[in-house]
Amino acid sequence: MNKKGLALFMRARMRPRDSSKISLSPLAETLNRVAPDNQANQSGGRGMEPASEEGNEQTHFSCRNERPFELVKESMHSAISMNKTEVLDAVLNDFTEGYFSLSGESRKALLLSLAKEYDLNRAQVRELIKQYLGLELPKADAADEGNVGEESSLSAFYRLERNLRHALKPMYEVLFERLNTHPGGLKFLSILRADILSILAEENILSLRALDSYLKEKLGTWLSPAALELHQITWNDPASLLEKIVAYEAVHPISNLLDLKRRLGIGRRCFGYLHPAIPGEPLIFIEVALLKNVAQTIQEVLWDDPPILEHEATCALFYSISSTQPGLTGINLGKFLIKRVITLVKKDMPQISIFATLSPIPGYMQWLLSKLASQLKLAETDDATRASDQSGSSFWENILEPEEERALLNLSEECKAMKNGMEVMFNLLTTNSYTWTNSPEMLSVLKPLLMRLCARYLLQEKKRGKALDSVANFHLQNGAMVERINWMADRSEKGLRQSGGIMVNYVYRLENIEEYAQSYFSTGQIHSSDDILYYVKGVEA
């Protein structure tokens, strides 16, 4: 093991997963010293969706050398109101350092102050709207006719519209704009938004939600694909960059140095989006396996040895995508990254004709167990009560087919004593040791019903007209189709806990990407293969 490999791996494995602490931006010294933990920055088992850790973990704050709250608030006010550009950088530095010194509660108080006290002036907006509505609409062709009176009326419209646009901008926009052009400021804004999201996860504060919406919009503009650099990450990159790949990879954690070298070696690719304002730190990265066929298990991707010759590959399989910044949640950088990588791989390797994923299904088991629990609770009532029960969102439904019900009850004498097959299934799936995975008999009974219900979950279960599963929604909105579900594709504890070990292949067909994305966006239509439809009754192909 060379010194570079040993150093990067030990640093990455020993450090907390904290993007702010390993930042290489101009504010790195401050961020390294007092920035918040970033445990929520990984895709955390959500597979191809670059999202936060399961649940919304409260950000932990460093309280060393905490400055007085009023002084930090005053520095924030100065950063917004000051016009002297020669001292603005010093003021912004003072504010960011002061912010990082605050405790969690003080940060929350400061963010609430920013959201409420530096919001737009609604009295001014109302007055301008009244003036605008009081104007008489000019003729559409007034300017062409050269009518002086009509041109004067148009001038009044233009003036009021300009003033109204200005009034509709909250005062905190000034702070965001100034930080964006300040060294290290974009990184700081990402951390600021991560704190906001952490607070909103605990409490829905409307003014803070409006602040978050505005900041998210700004970040989405500043992080447009045109401003991002696509970089292929290789073993020859600096150890400081490779260390971040080890630290941030949470879909399939990198187990050792050999594992890292393999993911960056022959038959594999790793690409990341970097931004000039956050040098040396990928905002998001994707790992690709070059294969002969679409993999059905994660073992084929992570542990096949040796890899195939690259010129024999016909499939580029995306098996992990990780977002490193929790403050960029909801900004779909992954969409642009996948499309850029497809274009690049296709250009470099024309023989690649299949672009697919091997993705987890993080919400499946949670949905299924919740469904079983609610149905078992309803089953405790008598038929008359059940038929008239309108008190809850769930209604009685035996989600098992008759033959599945019989097979579950016949597994053992203990199972026969239970009320129904759903109770048997619930008890089997909630055992901590997952003993059912070691029983050929139980596997043979559970496989057809778990696969059928998984297909139902992916294709039919919706939230606001879109796929309930977060990873499915991510890929479908990007133009993919559901190709295949794979039994026992991930036997890890996390894979069993999330989806009973089932994984799914999404496929990006180049000729259909835009069409599929548009139909999913407009109508919620989910495109899928006949293999998936085989499991689901009543779904149109």
Side-chain angles (χ1 to χ4, degrees), residues 113-122 167-172 206-207 210-211:
S113 172
L114 179 65
K116 294 177 180 178
E117 297 174 26
Y118 296 89
D119 200 356
L120 56 85
N121 186 333
R122 290 182 174 79
L168 284 170
K169 293 181 179 180
M171 293 174 64
Y172 46 68
L206 293 181
S207 60
L211 176 72

Side-chain angles (χ1 to χ4, degrees), residues 96-161:
T96 55
E97 291 175 7
Y99 180 84
F100 282 132
S101 78
L102 296 177
S103 66
E105 285 304 312
S106 294
R107 288 192 190 190
K108 178 180 178 180
L110 188 71
L111 289 169
L112 288 174
S113 172
L114 179 65
K116 294 177 180 178
E117 297 174 26
Y118 296 89
D119 200 356
L120 56 85
N121 186 333
R122 290 182 174 79
Q124 181 185 16
V125 171
R126 287 173 63 89
E127 180 58 32
L128 288 170
I129 291 175
K130 286 172 61 177
Q131 294 179 33
Y132 191 83
L133 293 175
L135 293 176
E136 183 178 348
L137 287 172
K139 296 178 181 178
D141 57 352
D144 296 333
E145 295 175 358
N147 186 301
V148 176
E150 294 293 352
E151 287 185 357
S152 176
S153 177
L154 273 174
S155 177
F157 269 97
Y158 294 150
R159 184 176 63 256
L160 274 175
E161 287 162 355

Side-chain angles (χ1 to χ4, degrees), residues 21-218:
K21 286 184 178 178
I22 56 179
S23 169
L24 299 179
S25 69
L27 283 178
E29 184 177 352
T30 300
L31 301 179
N32 287 343
R33 185 171 68 250
V34 293
D37 285 343
N38 189 19
Q39 293 292 345
N41 71 339
Q42 311 295 343
S43 33
R46 298 185 183 213
M48 296 296 296
E49 181 203 33
S52 57
E53 191 70 55
E54 288 183 349
N56 292 291
E57 297 182 8
Q58 179 66 34
T59 305
H60 303 285
F61 303 96
S62 172
C63 304
R64 291 178 292 171
N65 304 317
E66 181 172 358
R67 293 187 188 178
F69 175 81
E70 291 302 326
L71 285 181
V72 181
K73 184 177 178 181
E74 183 179 341
S75 69
M76 181 178 73
H77 176 76
S78 297
I80 295 173
S81 60
M82 182 169 288
N83 292 320
K84 296 181 179 180
T85 55
E86 62 272 16
V87 295
L88 185 57
D89 279 349
V91 171
L92 290 170
N93 277 332
D94 185 58
F95 166 60
T96 55
E97 291 175 7
Y99 180 84
F100 282 132
S101 78
L102 296 177
S103 66
E105 285 304 312
S106 294
R107 288 192 190 190
K108 178 180 178 180
L110 188 71
L111 289 169
L112 288 174
S113 172
L114 179 65
K116 294 177 180 178
E117 297 174 26
Y118 296 89
D119 200 356
L120 56 85
N121 186 333
R122 290 182 174 79
Q124 181 185 16
V125 171
R126 287 173 63 89
E127 180 58 32
L128 288 170
I129 291 175
K130 286 172 61 177
Q131 294 179 33
Y132 191 83
L133 293 175
L135 293 176
E136 183 178 348
L137 287 172
K139 296 178 181 178
D141 57 352
D144 296 333
E145 295 175 358
N147 186 301
V148 176
E150 294 293 352
E151 287 185 357
S152 176
S153 177
L154 273 174
S155 177
F157 269 97
Y158 294 150
R159 184 176 63 256
L160 274 175
E161 287 162 355
R162 182 190 66 238
N163 293 339
L164 188 56
R165 282 195 299 270
H166 181 75
L168 284 170
K169 293 181 179 180
M171 293 174 64
Y172 46 68
E173 182 193 54
V174 176
L175 179 64
F176 298 158
E177 295 279 0
R178 289 177 170 179
L179 282 167
N180 180 50
T181 58
H182 180 68
L186 186 62
K187 174 71 175 183
F188 175 80
L189 286 171
S190 173
I191 295 171
L192 193 78
R193 183 165 183 256
D195 290 349
I196 294 171
L197 291 173
S198 181
I199 295 168
L200 289 174
E202 301 294 329
E203 185 178 1
N204 186 24
I205 304 171
L206 293 181
S207 60
L208 199 59
R209 192 163 294 283
L211 176 72
D212 171 64
S213 178
Y214 203 88
L215 179 53
K216 176 185 173 183
E217 183 178 339
K218 285 291 183 182

